[in-house]
Amino acid sequence: MPESDPLQPGSPESDALFELEPRAAETVGFAQLARLPLTELVAPDWAEALAPVEDALREVLAFLAAEAADGHEVLPPPSYLLRAFRQPLAGVRVLIVGQDPYPTPGHAVGLSFAVDGRTRPIPRSLANIYKELDADLGLAPRIHGDLGRWAEQGVLLLNRVMSVRSGAARSHRNRGWEAITAAAISAVADRRTADGGPTPFVAILWGRDAWSVRALLGTAPVIASAHPSPLSASRGFFGSRPFSQANALLQAQGNGTVDWELPPLP
């Protein structure tokens, strides 16, 4: 569907937005996303939480539509852009903050550090995450990078900046995403239980970009280390045991544990 084609709220195309497969992503464009109600872009409780920054989100979507209209490939594709917000806000148990999406076509899928399950080889940062997962919990590294199982268990894989121009790392920084993801992180931290206490969760912050959100997290337990990038993994990421630490902190708060094991194949 060309960028100029209309996509009306409530149409079969918009209703199917959450179910699109990667290869069907081109049926919806960024201009169409900008016209959809927030409740059709994200889970209902996320729509409520992000309402104060909806105008900023519309401006970012308009910018992405202009990028696409100028012939630039924007990653991730439209149907995956807001994927991190499709699992309910109420269910978030672990927050993992990334930087911005992989700039390689076919890699970015809207979840920080994840890639399409068919991508081979997986990015080196993700390979290092798997190495630490093996060292920490004894879980064998996978050949694929589909982290959807983590997201289904309440692991919010959130990039600080949620889009990028193909082949141009960091190209969409300072375009408005930072305010939107700051609001999202604050929404996670500000949740309250029935008795008024903070909703239990754990934040995992890898690298300087992630560390910058620490002030938004209130009293939540934080696991911070170097980024898993090959440039920094040996400077504090390896040996940090974030997965077992996260589970111990969740258990201490009475919020169960995450099964970090991924399927052998996506």
Side-chain angles (χ1 to χ4, degrees):
M1 179 183 294
E3 282 287 330
S4 58
D5 286 353
L7 181 63
Q8 298 299 325
S11 68
E13 291 88 349
S14 66
D15 291 341
L17 180 62
F18 285 16
E19 287 74 39
L20 288 175
E21 293 295 329
R23 289 174 181 170
E26 294 307 314
T27 63
V28 175
F30 294 105
Q32 284 83 1
L33 293 191
R35 294 194 291 270
L36 289 175
L38 197 55
T39 52
E40 293 188 23
L41 295 174
V42 300
D45 55 355
W46 273 118
E48 181 178 355
L50 296 177
V53 291
E54 181 175 358
D55 288 347
L57 177 58
R58 300 290 176 193
E59 290 177 7
V60 173
L61 293 175
F63 162 70
L64 299 184
E67 286 271 272
D70 287 342
H72 300 295
E73 183 178 8
V74 174
L75 305 173
S79 66
Y80 275 170
L81 181 69
L82 299 173
R83 183 180 176 189
F85 300 135
R86 292 181 192 161
Q87 297 292 332
L89 168 61
V92 174
R93 297 194 290 155
V94 178
L95 168 68
I96 298 180
V97 180
Q99 297 179 352
D100 48 5
Y102 299 114
T104 305
H107 282 199
V109 292
L111 302 177
S112 61
F113 299 104
V115 292
D116 184 275
R118 296 164 293 196
T119 298
R120 304 287 188 277
I122 61 173
R124 289 178 292 173
S125 292
L126 182 54
N128 286 339
I129 291 171
Y130 285 172
K131 287 180 183 178
E132 182 61 19
L133 183 61
D134 186 11
D136 188 1
L137 296 177
L139 299 178
R142 299 310 188 194
I143 62 171
H144 68 84
D146 184 348
L147 304 182
R149 179 172 170 79
W150 292 358
E152 291 166 1
Q153 297 180 76
V155 179
L156 176 58
L157 297 160
L158 182 67
N159 278 318
R160 191 74 168 91
V161 173
M162 298 180 70
S163 66
V164 69
R165 185 187 291 182
S166 176
R170 305 189 177 201
S171 52
H172 287 177
R173 296 192 175 195
N174 301 314
R175 293 289 186 171
W177 280 122
E178 291 84 354
I180 295 160
T181 54
I185 292 166
S186 294
V188 173
D190 290 346
R191 293 173 302 162
R192 291 293 178 266
T193 60
D195 62 5
T199 297
F201 84 101
V202 176
I204 298 176
L205 307 181
W206 290 330
R208 293 184 182 276
D209 279 7
W211 300 345
S212 69
V213 309
R214 192 162 193 163
L216 303 173
L217 294 168
T219 59
V222 173
I223 301 165
S225 74
H227 193 275
S229 160
L231 298 175
S232 58
S234 61
R235 299 200 294 268
F237 174 75
F238 289 137
S240 63
R241 304 182 68 87
F243 308 101
S244 60
Q245 281 198 72
N247 276 351
L249 289 166
L250 286 174
Q251 281 190 309
Q253 297 176 82
N255 203 12
T257 61
V258 173
D259 179 1
W260 295 102
E261 186 169 18
L262 295 167
L265 294 174

